[in-house]
């Protein structure tokens, strides 16, 4: 994308980015006030909790420093965590006198802003400025959007994913493949970006051959680059564990994370329907159910049906979330990068009466602020 065109596009995005920043800064303020009220340090709640501690530990000491072993023989190893985010934390703390948690927050907040820009550009390119603006605001007001201002990897993955998808849509294959490779180094579900780039490249290759046209080398190069980050780390862990192809998945199995086609999720859903649980569990069930409804609308609504790369990207993320077993309470967080799921709602809000759109936005803002604050400061389960 030429620089002048990029500048013009980002200028158009300014109102959406301002609204997104206002939503997330208000969320941070709400967390800070509640944390102080209950006697906790807000920066610690945002930058030094649950998975954040694993990432800062890897940044400080490298892999293999922290492993938890349980009485039943289960083992949780830091090899389950992908390396890009700890590497960024290490780089920041080397240059700037910040703690690991503070560096993690700086990176996450910067990545969230970059993700919002990328999401806007994708939607603006496909559906226009109004839909793009609403989409960015909705993404910033999801019930779990507090994660976007925590020292977690979802903002980093979403940033690389959105810009990679935009590069695909613009035919910038080398950029698309490089960004997809970085997304694959950020999180396990970053493979969704490589799948999207690969599917788009395969379609382009088929089209060129159908018309007996010469296939540009950049398409081959983009498709080849895309999976390198994810595959490289998985194979590195496998080699370290003595099982090249299965070692990483054995590490994930130690965390209870495996793809079982949704059997574990169904068992836990049955448990939720028969027993009382703390708020995050039924809330996650509602969020996942809403995501499945939005996914169906994304497939069926001709007005917003996305192009192939967005469709593949979203499908893979939904499959990994729904079909994976493990920490049920984290499933809503795993869906945060799946921003195309919000396209049907964003498009509908652009067509609705202003009063209706304002009511929906206000309701989402109230839910996001209250629930996000509860998750970080009070909830007894990990995110």
């Amino acid at each position: 994308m030429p620089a002048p065109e990029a500048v013009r596009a980002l200028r158009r995005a300014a109102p959406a980015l301002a609204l997104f920043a206002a939503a997330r800064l208000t969320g941070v303020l709400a967390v800070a006030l509640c944390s102080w009220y209950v006697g906790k340090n807000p920066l610690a709640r945002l930058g030094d909790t649950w998975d954040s501690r694993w990432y800062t530990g890897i940044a400080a000491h490298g892999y293999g420093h922290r492993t938890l072993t349980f009485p039943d023989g289960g083992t949780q190893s830091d090899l389950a965590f992908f390396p890009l985010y700890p590497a960024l934390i290490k780089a920041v703390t080397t240059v700037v006198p910040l703690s690991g948690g503070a560096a993690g927050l700086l990176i996450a907040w910067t990545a969230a802003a970059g993700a919002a820009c990328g999401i806007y550009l994708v939607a603006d390119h496909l559906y226009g400025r109004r839909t793009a603006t609403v989409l960015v605001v909705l993404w910033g007001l999801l019930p779990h959007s507090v994660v976007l201002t925590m020292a977690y990897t979802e903002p980093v993955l979403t940033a690389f994913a959105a810009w990679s998808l935009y590069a695909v849509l613009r035919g910038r294959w080398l950029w698309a493949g490089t960004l997809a490779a970085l997304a694959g180094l950020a999180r396990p579900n970053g493979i969704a970006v490589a799948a999207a780039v690969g599917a788009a490249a395969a379609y382009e290759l088929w089209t060129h051959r159908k018309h007996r046209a010469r296939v540009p080398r950049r398409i081959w190069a983009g498709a080849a680059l895309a999976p390198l980050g994810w595959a490289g780390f998985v194979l590195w862990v496998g080699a370290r564990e003595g099982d090249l192809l299965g070692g990483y998945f054995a590490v994930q199995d130690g965390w209870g994370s495996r793809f079982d086609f949704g059997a574990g999720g169904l068992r836990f859903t049955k448990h939720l329907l028969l027993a009382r649980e703390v708020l995050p569990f039924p809330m996650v069930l509602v969020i996942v159910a809403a995501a499945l409804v939005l996914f169906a609308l994304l497939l069926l609504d001709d007005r917003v049906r996305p192009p192939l790369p967005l469709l593949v990207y979203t499908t893979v993320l939904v499959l990994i979330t729904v079909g994976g077993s493990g920490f049920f309470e984290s499933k809503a967080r795993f869906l945060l990068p799946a921003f195309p799921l919000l396209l049907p709602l964003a498009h509908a809000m652009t067509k609705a009466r202003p009063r209706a759109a304002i009511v929906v936005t206000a309701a989402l803002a109230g839910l996001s602020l209250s629930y996000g604050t509860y998750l970080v400061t009070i909830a007894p389960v990990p995110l």
Side-chain angles (χ1 to χ4, degrees), residues 20-34:
F20 174 80
R24 296 313 331 134
L25 288 174
T26 305
V28 171
L29 178 61
V31 169
L33 292 174
C34 187

Side-chain angles (χ1 to χ4, degrees), residues 57-124:
I58 295 168
H61 307 289
Y63 283 101
H65 177 74
R66 184 179 179 190
T67 299
L68 301 180
T69 303
F70 298 93
D72 62 359
T75 301
Q76 293 180 348
S77 167
D78 56 12
L79 290 170
F81 295 89
F82 274 54
L84 179 60
Y85 189 50
L88 292 173
I89 293 173
K90 178 68 173 178
V92 170
T93 54
T94 301
V95 176
V96 183
L98 292 175
S99 67
L105 286 176
L106 177 63
I107 294 164
W109 294 358
T110 303
C117 291
I119 291 170
Y120 179 91
L121 292 176
V122 168
D124 184 37

Side-chain angles (χ1 to χ4, degrees), residues 74-254:
T75 301
Q76 293 180 348
S77 167
D78 56 12
L79 290 170
F81 295 89
F82 274 54
L84 179 60
Y85 189 50
L88 292 173
I89 293 173
K90 178 68 173 178
V92 170
T93 54
T94 301
V95 176
V96 183
L98 292 175
S99 67
L105 286 176
L106 177 63
I107 294 164
W109 294 358
T110 303
C117 291
I119 291 170
Y120 179 91
L121 292 176
V122 168
D124 184 37
H125 177 74
L126 295 173
Y127 307 105
R129 183 176 184 177
R130 291 182 65 191
T131 298
T133 299
V134 176
L135 180 65
V136 170
V137 173
L138 289 176
W139 188 64
L141 292 177
L142 287 171
H144 274 64
S145 59
V146 69
V147 174
L148 300 177
T149 41
M150 296 179 66
Y152 269 59
T153 52
E154 276 72 20
V156 176
L157 169 59
T158 310
F160 285 120
W163 282 93
S164 177
L165 291 169
Y166 182 65
V168 169
L169 296 174
R170 302 287 300 181
R172 309 291 180 178
W173 291 98
L174 292 178
W175 275 111
T178 301
L179 292 167
L182 291 170
L185 285 170
R187 284 193 54 77
N189 53 354
I191 189 63
V193 191
V197 174
Y203 178 78
E204 287 294 321
L205 294 173
W206 176 79
T207 302
H208 279 78
R209 289 187 175 181
K210 180 180 178 181
H211 294 92
R212 297 184 178 180
R214 178 178 173 273
V215 179
R217 291 182 180 178
R218 64 182 182 276
I219 299 180
W220 290 103
L225 284 169
L228 291 183
W230 187 90
F233 181 69
V234 168
L235 292 175
W236 178 80
V237 173
R240 179 169 174 143
E241 293 295 287
D243 182 357
L244 187 64
L245 298 180
Y248 171 77
F249 301 101
V251 169
Q252 285 285 5
D253 192 62

Side-chain angles (χ1 to χ4, degrees), residues 302-359:
D302 292 334
R303 296 170 297 178
V304 296
R305 187 174 297 167
L308 180 64
L310 265 69
L311 184 60
V312 170
Y313 169 72
T314 309
T315 300
V316 173
L317 286 176
V318 170
L319 283 175
I320 290 174
T321 301
V322 176
S325 182
F327 293 93
F328 188 88
E329 61 271 28
S330 299
K331 286 184 179 293
R333 173 165 65 86
F334 297 161
L335 287 170
L336 272 177
F339 63 89
L341 289 174
L342 298 170
L343 282 170
L345 180 57
H347 181 76
M349 288 180 64
T350 62
K351 304 300 181 183
R353 294 179 178 179
R355 181 179 298 178
I358 291 172
V359 169

